[in-house]
């Protein structure tokens, strides 16, 4: 497979966009000085990871990641910050 063949597939473009979103948001999680912004970037990184799992046809793992991590852990984390 050549690089031209790789770029011709639309799934690879979606993967590239999701991978860049996850990488940039993960970098912002550890470099952000504001804790709330860091938590929101963590939500973005976990959402991108769920999208990558959906590309792999692992729907169960993607929904568990969304429900458990984004739905529960981040909400509790932000609730603890607001207290």
């Amino acid at each position: 497979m050549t690089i031209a063949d790789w770029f011709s597939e639309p799934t690879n473009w979606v993967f590239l966009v999701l991978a860049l979103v996850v990488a940039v948001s993960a970098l912002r999680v550890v470099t952000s000085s504001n804790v709330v912004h860091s938590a929101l970037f963590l939500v973005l990184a976990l959402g991108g990871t769920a999208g990558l799992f959906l590309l792999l046809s692992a729907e169960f793992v993607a929904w568990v990641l969304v429900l458990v991590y984004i739905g529960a852990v981040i909400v509790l984390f932000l609730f603890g910050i607001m207290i």
Side-chain angles (χ1 to χ4, degrees), residues 20-32 38 41 45:
L20 287 175
V21 165
V22 169
V24 169
S25 61
L27 183 68
R28 294 290 295 158
V29 166
V30 296
T31 60
S32 180
S38 179
F41 280 120

Side-chain angles (χ1 to χ4, degrees), residues 9-62:
E9 293 289 325
T11 308
N12 294 336
W13 283 97
V14 174
F15 170 78
L16 186 64
V17 169
L18 283 174
L20 287 175
V21 165
V22 169
V24 169
S25 61
L27 183 68
R28 294 290 295 158
V29 166
V30 296
T31 60
S32 180
S33 60
N34 191 347
V35 179
V36 175
H37 290 164
S38 179
L40 293 175
F41 280 120
L42 183 61
V43 168
L44 188 62
L46 291 173
T49 306
L52 290 174
F53 279 126
L54 286 175
L55 281 177
L56 290 171
S57 298
E59 290 87 7
F60 178 73
V61 179

Side-chain angles (χ1 to χ4, degrees), residues 62-83:
W63 285 115
V64 165
L65 193 133
V66 168
L67 290 175
V68 172
Y69 286 110
I70 297 175
V73 173
I74 297 298
V75 169
L76 287 175
F77 185 64
L78 288 176
F79 182 72
I81 291 170
M82 295 303 166
I83 287 180

